[in-house]
Amino acid sequence: MPRYETVIGLEVHVELKTRTKIFCDSTTEFGGEPNTHVCPICLGLPGTLPVINKKVVEYAIRAALALNCNIAEFTKFDRKNYFYPDMPKNYQISQHDLPIATHGYLEIDTQKGPKKIGISRLHMEEDSGKLVHQGTITTTPFSLVDYNRAGVPLIEIVSAPDLSSPEEACQYVEKLRTIILYTGVSDCKMEEGSLRCDANISVRPVGTGRLGTNTEIKNLNSLKALRRSLHFETERQIEVLRAGGRIVQETRTWDEGKGETLPLRSKEQAHDYRCLPEPDLVPLLIDRQWVEDIRGSLPELPEQRRQRYIKDYSLPEYDAAILTNTKELADYFERCVRAYSHPKAVGNWILGEFNRLLNLHGIEIAACKVTPQNLVSLLRLIDQGTISGKIAKVVFAEMFTSGQAAEAIVKKKGLVQISDRHAMVPVVEKVLAGNPGAVADYKAGKGRALGFLVGQVMKATQGQANPELVNKLLKERL
Amino acid sequence: MQLFLLTAHEIHELLIKKEISAEELNKAIYARIEAVDDRIQAYITRTAGKALDQARAVDKQISNGEKVTPLAGIPIAIKDNICTDGIKTTAGSKILSNYTPPYSATVVKKLEAAGATIAGKVNLDEFAMGSSNENSAFFATRNPWDTSRVPGGSSGGSAAAVAAGAAVCSLGSDTGGSIRQPASFCGVVGMKPTYGAVSRYGLIAYASSLDQIGPFARDVTDCALMLNAICGHDPLDSTSAKQRAMDYTSFLKDDVRGLKLGVPEEYMVEGIDPDVRDLVIKAMEKLESLGAVVEYTTLPHTDYALPTYYLIAQAEASSNLARYDGVRYGVRTEGTGDVMDMFMKTRSEGFGAEVKRRILLGTYALAAANYDHYYLKALKVRTLIKEDFVQAFKRYDLLLSPVSPTTAFPIGEKMDDPLQMYLSDICTISVNLAGMPGLSIPCGFVGGLPVGLQLIGRPFDEGTLLRTAYTFEQNTDYHKQYPDL
Amino acid sequence: MITKKDLEHVALLSRLELTGSEKAMFARQLNDILNYFQSLDCLDTENVQPTTHVLPLQNVFREDWVGQHTSRQDALANCPDRQGDYFRVPKIV
């Protein structure tokens, strides 16, 4: 039986974070009472006309440059005609044959090392409204339409069929998301639908050159859905082929509940988009100076940043990758390092306690009360021996909730580390006297007993004792 | 004095001399509408109340000694495919028969800003698709010169209202001749400005790359005053040109000496009624006698204009009319099943035969299998047709031709043969394909029915059109004849 | 040549439901029209650029400033069927 390999291409839709919609001046704000973020243009009222938002073009170029694309000199809009009740004009203004950007790529990490994934094109288009179903789409007698989202700007990023597993597909989406977040043109929230994904997938016997017939899976609203649906579809296609069947080229949707992909009805498949140049919009000639200005304003991108952290800060590859995963985290890290030149120590704290508490409380960095200056002060207190690493965690937790400076907390709670030999000796002696068993164990060669004794001293001092000093004092007396 | 026979500039004189009031004027026009419109059937919606309020405001301004514009207080009829805030706008279609827009077209705002009053909304072929007004979902407007005949189309209501004295001026839209042909049939001045000269924002689209709003008036001076009010860049229309504001009345000079006028021979041969052709030749001779140089010339790709026009217009229309689906506005016909069924029922019930025919043709021309052969081919031939005009305008300041091969035809005559109906647009469609300005001015009568002379100009050279038309008008008296109603 | 099947497909794409007699009439008329349009075939347009806009306009932009929204009342005023603040349509599938 032949072994099969999977070929996947992704179409990722990203909502741009402009203030207004792509062709009218209605707000793009998420949420809002139904049908309040609308105007005659985005409602598709008879007689209305689109005018392109300059910021949308700028953001599209910005994203495209970050994805190593070529920016077209001449680009235009087209109408893609099909009927759907969430589309106010029953055509979507999109870009057909002359997209704003082509020929890009990004790199993902695979077990075999880095892999370049081609980006065949990136284009601008308008989003549709939203359908609200009472119950499920199949059982509800009515659907309700909210056009607040209609006309929100999207970029569609189409990958080459370079992805060979569901895992690679997920990695690609995560990487794409990271890069777009860095450019600041979208907040890429899959759960709010500001990043959405359709997948084209086919299988072929290993070693065959030609692509197999593909299916398209729509409405993949999470990485989990992407991974699961691609696994399901791979298996389904292989099963069909192994049973001697043929793959039907069709659009399928992912049913999260059933855990399977299902074909759309055939009459909905009868699509012929009849694209035509949008007569209501004039072409765009993209000025090269504009492109260079946008290029110049791009921040350092995650890949470059990661390399720099490894090279300049001698960070392990893993730490560098995680620190650069979001721009906010990397910016935070760098602000700390600028004030305190021990990148490894800063990194450990950020990847440790800092991230743990952020995740625990579900807080974004922007909303975190610990400023880089305060974190650095905390690290300095450890360096100076004012507090122990253990106490530092307690102090940090307090900083995290109250936003107070480390020094203030240490002072208020009397957490200053006890490094005074004279103050410590009586405590140590009391512990030794109170734990004769452990002392005997240690003397019998059980090294672990020392740890227990240190712990008892720390407990007796509420963690304020300087651990090095405690060790030293215990050893002197044992 | 019959106020309804006066032109806007004549009325303006009376208004500022306080010999009449705007209120009187509007009441007179309303009395005229009441008197004749049951025979003409130009109006779909009359807005007397609002117009009188607007008129009284103008009278107040005048009595306060404020300066008012030449269109202040003048009742103007608006083609019912131009949106008016709070006033029903149907596009002549059943599918929009209950539709009231929440906004006004830019042209309407401009007219209102100039103080004009809106007399009402006038009839048209459904979605401006037709040459006779018979495709209106409501009723067929009649030609004021002979009520058994069509007023032309698609802006038939706009032309008939002005010819009948049921409005002083009006607005129409012209995609392939829809202003010029009814102007010709009804014996009034009608102008399609250069594509991009007037904002299309608020014009219910038929074929976006060809549609243009323009005025109807009883003489060339009024036509210039209307252009003054409606032309100009609009940030809401991406295809609107960035032109300097100008005073079109500055071109109204009785002088064509030295102008070079070309007559495309393709517009003078085949299919043109000999009596119509004779009147055009007489007009040529008239202009020649007034000092213009008139020569025959050629637009070699004229034979291809009709298929090119219909393929492009229908392709765009099939897309433009997709939004009428019974979800957001308009008349819905419930089906028995799902939303797809509702779409099909709504559109099949809501559109008339001509609209369906054009949607089907446009959809066919754009379908993947036919795109290159039909639609793309038409876009390329459009380039050749435009180039014909560019070449001609290297030698001539203006082109002259008939507007329509015939005078107004009897109601019902061409309804069963769409192709014959399309062929009557032969002299006007190229002008839209090339985006040039075109004007129709009365040049005589055949059997008691008016005939229009078409003037075609260079892009944004409305001035030379107006100057030539004005000179012709000053030296003829066709515009002073009125239908007997 | 438009066959009945072509016409049915085009009607479906256009969301038009045609009766039997409409199908026959439109098929005949569209074929007449397309026959007449065949004259375009004899024109060589190999090296001709298509015209999609007659004016040489380009780069017409709008700034990213929020404007006035339509009131919900106006947005829904012409709606054939509504439920609360939503437009309502029959089930999708």
Side-chain angles (χ1 to χ4, degrees), chain A residues 20-21 35 52 145 281 285, chain C residues 53 59 62 64 67 69 85 87:
Chain A
T20 65
K21 294 185 178 181
N35 296 304
I52 176 78
V145 201
L281 290 166
L285 268 73
Chain C
H53 295 84
N59 296 357
R62 182 176 67 71
D64 190 23
H69 291 108
D85 298 329
F87 296 86

Side-chain angles (χ1 to χ4, degrees), chain B residues 74-95:
Chain B
I74 305 290
I76 289 171
I78 310 286
K79 188 177 180 180
D80 210 22
N81 61 351
I82 297 173
C83 290
T84 39
D85 191 352
I87 302 172
K88 202 172 66 161
T89 300
T90 68
S93 181
K94 184 176 165 190
I95 211 162

Side-chain angles (χ1 to χ4, degrees), chain B residues 100 332 348 357 377 383, chain C residues 17 29 43 49 51 78 88:
Chain B
T100 302
R332 175 191 291 192
S348 303
R357 189 154 41 234
K377 180 87 184 186
T383 305
Chain C
E17 195 172 66
Q29 289 172 337
L43 207 54
Q49 286 298 310
T51 293
N78 284 288
R88 190 166 83 160

Side-chain angles (χ1 to χ4, degrees), chain A residues 286-305:
Chain A
I286 308 294
D287 180 48
R288 293 300 99 180
Q289 189 54 50
W290 192 25
V291 174
E292 289 318 308
D293 290 349
I294 296 170
R295 197 194 300 277
S297 74
L298 276 176
E300 185 185 27
L301 293 171
E303 195 56 40
Q304 301 154 267
R305 216 169 198 184

Side-chain angles (χ1 to χ4, degrees), chain A residues 397-470:
Chain A
E398 175 73 20
M399 291 163 72
F400 196 89
T401 47
S402 72
Q404 281 178 289
E407 292 86 344
I409 295 168
V410 168
K411 204 168 165 194
K412 186 178 76 187
K413 299 210 162 177
L415 295 173
V416 176
Q417 180 164 267
I418 307 167
S419 301
D420 177 356
R421 203 180 160 88
H422 295 294
M424 282 304 296
V425 169
V427 184
V428 168
E429 287 181 344
K430 196 176 165 197
V431 165
L432 286 173
N435 293 282
V439 174
D441 283 353
Y442 184 77
K443 288 190 171 156
K446 290 184 182 168
R448 267 185 304 153
L450 182 65
F452 173 77
L453 292 168
V454 173
Q456 292 305 303
V457 177
M458 295 307 285
K459 199 173 166 188
T461 58
Q462 276 119 33
Q464 279 173 265
N466 179 334
E468 279 168 43
L469 179 65
V470 173

Side-chain angles (χ1 to χ4, degrees), chain B residues 30-47:
Chain B
Y30 268 94
R32 178 68 175 173
I33 294 172
E34 294 288 332
V36 298
D37 205 45
D38 57 333
R39 280 169 288 152
I40 304 301
Q41 304 208 60
Y43 282 85
I44 294 175
T45 306
R46 302 176 191 179
T47 49

Side-chain angles (χ1 to χ4, degrees), chain C residues 17-83:
Chain C
E17 195 172 66
L18 304 180
T19 64
S21 61
E22 273 181 318
K23 278 182 205 169
M25 175 183 76
F26 285 134
R28 178 173 51 76
Q29 289 172 337
L30 293 188
N31 277 315
D32 281 355
I33 293 166
L34 290 172
N35 276 338
Y36 176 78
F37 288 4
Q38 270 178 2
S39 65
L40 289 186
D41 296 349
C42 46
L43 207 54
D44 179 11
T45 51
E46 186 71 32
N47 298 310
V48 181
Q49 286 298 310
T51 293
T52 52
H53 295 84
V54 282
L55 293 184
L57 288 171
Q58 53 205 226
N59 296 357
V60 175
F61 292 116
R62 182 176 67 71
E63 294 300 327
D64 190 23
W65 296 322
V66 178
Q68 181 123 47
H69 291 108
T70 301
S71 72
R72 191 159 26 185
Q73 189 190 331
D74 277 353
L76 287 148
N78 284 288
C79 172
D81 186 15
R82 64 186 278 186
Q83 181 172 325

Side-chain angles (χ1 to χ4, degrees), chain A residues 6-8 115 162-170 230-231 234:
Chain A
T6 314
V7 180
I8 300 166
K115 180 176 174 184
D162 290 346
L163 299 158
S164 30
S165 70
E167 288 67 32
E168 284 189 16
C170 288
L230 289 173
H231 272 299
T234 305

